[in-house]
């Protein structure tokens, strides 16, 4: 099992607009291909212009296959176009995490 941990930073004052755009146009299509995220959360302290989401995959091949299907979906491409037009995002940081030996997720991937 691997976890895809993503942190995004929005321009100050735009995070609520960005998350609304994603909720309206991106979340359902992304969930269709990637499954439900383990976590999707806005930062409450520190950089309050950022948010994090974590997706779970069986392995790197599963991640690659699901993400390729997402990228090929016209609905996802339409969302990416809307997001780029809005220009709310400043940066993105991705990390692939592997669970430690004593962690067990009580959820099917």
């Amino acid at each position: 099992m691997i976890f895809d941990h993503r942190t995004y930073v929005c321009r100050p004052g735009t995070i609520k607009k960005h998350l609304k755009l994603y909720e309206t146009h991106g979340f359902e299509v992304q969930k269709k291909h990637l499954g439900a995220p383990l976590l999707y959360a806005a930062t409450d302290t520190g950089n309050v212009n950022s948010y994090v989401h974590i997706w779970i995959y069986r392995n790197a091949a599963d991640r690659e296959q699901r993400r390729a299907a997402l990228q090929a979906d016209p609905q996802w491409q339409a969302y990416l176009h809307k997001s780029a037009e809005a220009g709310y995002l400043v940066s993105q940081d991705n990390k692939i995490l592997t669970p430690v030996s004593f962690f067990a997720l009580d959820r099917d991937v």
Side-chain angles (χ1 to χ4, degrees):
M1 178 181 302
I2 62 173
F3 298 90
D4 186 352
H5 177 281
R6 294 172 172 247
T7 302
Y8 292 84
V9 178
C10 294
R11 286 191 353 252
T14 66
I15 191 167
K16 288 181 182 179
K17 292 176 186 177
H18 173 72
L19 291 173
K20 185 63 176 172
L21 179 73
Y22 173 74
E23 178 185 12
T24 303
H25 300 284
F27 183 60
E28 288 303 319
V29 65
Q30 192 170 32
K31 194 167 66 167
K32 177 175 87 173
H33 293 287
L34 305 185
L38 176 66
L39 175 71
Y40 214 106
T43 304
D44 192 42
T45 60
N47 186 348
V48 296
N49 298 303
S50 66
Y51 65 97
V52 171
H53 46 100
I54 301 174
W55 303 87
I56 308 167
Y57 302 98
R58 289 179 192 90
N59 51 45
D62 179 43
R63 179 182 178 272
E64 183 178 339
Q65 180 182 33
R66 289 200 228 175
R67 293 201 54 82
L70 174 64
Q71 293 302 321
D73 191 310
Q75 189 179 356
W76 180 248
Q77 289 301 316
Y79 162 71
L80 292 178
H81 180 75
K82 289 177 193 320
S83 179
E85 270 187 346
Y88 300 140
L89 291 176
V90 173
S91 66
Q92 172 183 346
D93 181 47
N94 297 1
K95 296 175 184 154
I96 300 297
L97 307 171
T98 56
V100 295
S101 62
F102 54 82
F103 176 79
L105 185 66
D106 294 331
R107 170 179 149 176
D108 189 25
V109 179

